[in-house]
Amino acid sequence: MSSIELTSSQREILQELINLYGVSERAVKGEDIANKVDRNPGTIRNQMQSLKALQLVEGVPGPKGGYKPTATAYEALELEQLDEPANVPFFHNGERVTDANVQEIDLTSVHHPELCRAEIRLHGSIKEYHEGDTVVVGPTPRSKLRIEGVLDGKDDTNNVLIVSTTSMEAPWGDDAPQH
């Protein structure tokens, strides 16, 4: 568990750096982060200096340079740094999402399915998700859990979608084990 305290602005910038780096797997330019978080590139450069001092990012010089998150950055945001992430299908309003990966699924009130909510932590941007959107997650690799629901809200700071579940089934699909 990390003891690094970050401001909400630092968390948002660091989260976006991790999101962009996860998609491209190469250094991310400050301007790209600025566009995603709707901030001035100069502000991003200033924040990156403080994040470098905390050893959360490293600068990469040169024309293809920019910033890369360190292992400590993933720890500070309590994310797993996945070498080869599991492929969990994720759909937004019926369309397969390919530039995001499901990091974690937390379920609340599973004893009361009509009240059940899922908190889905994504590795990837959640800026384009809005209340009322439909989402489908899964099936997950091990338990073959598949969740369908409607977006109730989101936590941009922690990259979490809050979903009111309409359907939850495990095991799901043709390859479900027969009992």
Side-chain angles (χ1 to χ4, degrees), residues 90-97 128-130 133-136:
F90 186 73
F91 296 84
H92 175 227
N93 289 333
E95 298 286 323
R96 174 92 188 241
V97 177
E128 300 303 315
Y129 297 85
H130 305 287
D133 290 358
T134 60
V135 296
V136 176

Side-chain angles (χ1 to χ4, degrees), residues 6-77:
L6 299 174
T7 66
S8 60
S9 177
Q10 288 172 322
R11 284 184 70 82
E12 182 182 20
I13 290 166
L14 191 57
Q15 180 70 61
E16 199 55 54
L17 170 64
I18 288 171
N19 291 344
L20 291 168
Y21 182 77
V23 171
S24 70
E25 293 187 3
R26 52 182 178 268
V28 178
K29 297 197 176 304
E31 293 79 21
D32 294 339
I33 298 168
N35 289 336
K36 288 286 191 174
V37 298
D38 198 26
R39 298 246 168 72
N40 183 300
T43 302
I44 301 302
R45 281 191 294 279
N46 291 339
Q47 289 286 2
M48 285 301 177
Q49 292 307 313
S50 64
L51 293 172
K52 276 184 5 185
L54 293 169
Q55 299 181 333
L56 298 174
V57 301
E58 61 182 59
V60 178
K64 294 191 181 212
Y67 303 98
K68 286 178 158 182
T70 65
T72 311
Y74 290 86
E75 291 169 15
L77 295 180

Side-chain angles (χ1 to χ4, degrees), residues 16 79 151 170 178:
E16 199 55 54
L79 297 173
L151 191 64
Q178 301 299 315

